[in-house]
């Protein structure tokens, strides 16, 4: 099956829970399809699941070590249940036996899969697989209702002939259908039809043909925001300073180097944008007169005269009928005070403030944001930048469509 372009799994981390059911053999095909769609897959095999399929099958197909033990010191040291829960962009339990559905409904944490499902903030989905009588039993239906009420997604089941010789509802969906539903988890639709312009990464300000002034921005935060905006249905243009990152799928990327280049690229596109998000770490100053030739080291000291760069965010926010503007504030101290001042001075609709320095904010895989607008502050606690970006996009969508 080809996954439709608008239902993309590329770069997503899918944690697949395989539990005790004859349908466990179909999970091998599911791993293959999820990976073909671009996802990275890790498999947690329950004790019941291991009765039907071998750990080696999943290790080979997923390209990652298999996870099965909750209380194994070696496994916990490598990637324990909390790390797995944080790693996952989605947890899909397929097949989900009647037993695991009951255990998840009870909120048990006595095996690895159940503990991960409790600890994760990612969407969780179950693909039930069981005998039709077990499926129809009031206990199973009650358990599933509980899970759905808590936001757990349910994929299937289908009806048909069963391994036990009976026929009816309870067959696990085919791997192709589960793959499609998993991809759909990432399409929130909150920004459908909107045009979102994003700046990301550092800028480089030339000193001479070989040297420049720059900063530690990796671009991760901005690229994650671009990916989350695409998942939400937006058309995204990403204006990026130099980074080592791959362009997220379905994002149009414009490469720039200096703050002036970024300013020109952003101001020329902002009038067509509905939302502008400035995650870039733009150099505030640039060398006033970059040397045309390599500067020679024939003096003991060297003084660089710097001149102010244009403020891209403030200029976009000042456009008549300009887009909804979201700034970032990178602060080493007095986070709330400085971010509040920037929100007011640059006349922004929203600002996301982060602590930077000492390994925080810049370059790191994780971040934490305090998001401000006229109505107050919302704290987004430390999480992978991909996850934070989705939360930020959900907040932006809420403010952009008030009352919806
Ligand atoms: O790229 P990563 O390694 O993932 O790191 C992410 C990050 C720390 C760079 C990011 O989360 C972040 O904080 N980005 C903003 C960095 C910054 O320059 O903050 P600032 O407080 O100096 O600027 C305030 C806002 O004005 C920012 O939205 C900035 O993009 C914008 N600005 C600043 C100066 C300028 N000349 N033009 C601008 O548009």
């Amino acid at each position: 099956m080809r996954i439709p372009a608008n239902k993309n799994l590329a770069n997503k981390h899918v944690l697949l829970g395989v539990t005790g059911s004859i349908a466990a053999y179909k999970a091998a095909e599911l791993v293959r399809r999820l990976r073909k769609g671009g996802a990275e897959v890790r498999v947690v095999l329950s004790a019941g699941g291991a009765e039907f399929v071998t750990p080696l099958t999943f290790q080979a197909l997923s390209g990652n070590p298999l996870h099965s033990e909750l209380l194994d010191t070696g496994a916990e040291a490598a990637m324990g249940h909390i790390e797995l829960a944080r790693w996952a962009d989605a947890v899909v339990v397929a097949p989900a036996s009647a037993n695991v559905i009951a255990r998840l409904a009870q909120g048990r944490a006595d095996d690895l899969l159940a503990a991960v499902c409790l600890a994760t903030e990612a969407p969780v989905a179950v693909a039930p697989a069981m005998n039709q009588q077990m499926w129809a039993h009031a206990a199973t239906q009650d358990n599933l209702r509980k899970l759905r009420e808590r936001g757990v997604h349910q994929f299937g089941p289908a009806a048909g002939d069963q391994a036990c010789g009976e026929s009816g509802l309870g067959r696990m969906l085919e791997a192709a259908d589960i793959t499609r539903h998993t991809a759909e988890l990432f399409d929130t639709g909150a920004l459908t039809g909107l045009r979102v312009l994003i700046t990301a990464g550092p800028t480089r300000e030339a000193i001479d043909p070989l040297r420049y002034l720059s900063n530690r921005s990796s671009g991760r935060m901005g690229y994650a925001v671009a990916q989350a905006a695409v998942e939400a249905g937006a058309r995204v243009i990403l204006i990026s300073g130099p980074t080592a990152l791959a362009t997220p799928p379905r994002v149009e990327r414009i490469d720039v180097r200096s703050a002036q280049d970024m300013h020109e690229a952003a101001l020329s596109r902002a009038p067509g944008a509905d939302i502008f998000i400035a995650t870039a770490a733009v150099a505030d100053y640039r060398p006033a007169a970059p040397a045309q030739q390599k500067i020679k080291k024939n003096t003991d000291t060297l003084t660089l005269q710097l001149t102010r760069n244009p403020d891209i965010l403030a200029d976009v926010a000042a456009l008549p009928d300009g887009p909804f503007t979201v700034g970032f504030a990178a602060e080493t101290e007095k986070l709330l005070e400085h971010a509040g001042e920037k929100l007011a001075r640059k006349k922004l609709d929203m600002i996301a403030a982060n602590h930077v320095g000492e390994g925080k904010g810049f370059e790191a895989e994780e971040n934490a944001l305090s998001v401000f607008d006229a109505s107050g502050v919302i704290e987004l606690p430390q999480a992978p930048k991909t996850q934070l970006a989705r939360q930020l996009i959900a907040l932006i969508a809420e403010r952009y469509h008030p009352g919806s």
Side-chain angles (χ1 to χ4, degrees), residues 199 216-221 278-284 309-313 327-331 342 346 354 356 361-364 367 385:
T199 63
R216 292 178 177 279
S217 170
S218 63
R220 283 200 178 103
M221 191 70 239
T279 66
V282 184
D284 291 318
N309 268 326
D311 191 316
I312 303 165
L313 178 60
F328 266 65
E331 308 294 346
K342 282 177 188 167
K346 299 196 186 192
N354 46 193
V356 292
F362 284 86
E363 294 173 305
N367 201 5
K385 285 179 177 170

Side-chain angles (χ1 to χ4, degrees), residues 81 100 162 186 254 281 284 343:
H81 63 288
V100 81
Q162 300 199 310
F186 300 107
I254 297 166
D284 291 318
L343 178 75

Side-chain angles (χ1 to χ4, degrees), residues 199-203 215-224 243 245 259 262-263 266 276-285 308-316 326-331 338-339 342 345-346 348 350-357 360-369 385:
T199 63
T203 62
N215 59 64
R216 292 178 177 279
S217 170
S218 63
R220 283 200 178 103
M221 191 70 239
Y223 280 53
T243 73
L245 302 176
M262 191 175 270
H263 184 265
F276 176 64
I277 310 173
T279 66
V282 184
D284 291 318
Y285 292 90
R308 264 307 266 278
N309 268 326
D311 191 316
I312 303 165
L313 178 60
D315 288 352
V316 170
V326 183
F328 266 65
E331 308 294 346
H338 289 161
K342 282 177 188 167
R345 177 168 48 84
K346 299 196 186 192
L348 309 178
M350 190 183 256
I351 195 158
N354 46 193
H355 278 290
V356 292
K360 289 191 199 142
F362 284 86
E363 294 173 305
E365 298 272 354
E366 298 199 344
N367 201 5
L369 296 174
K385 285 179 177 170

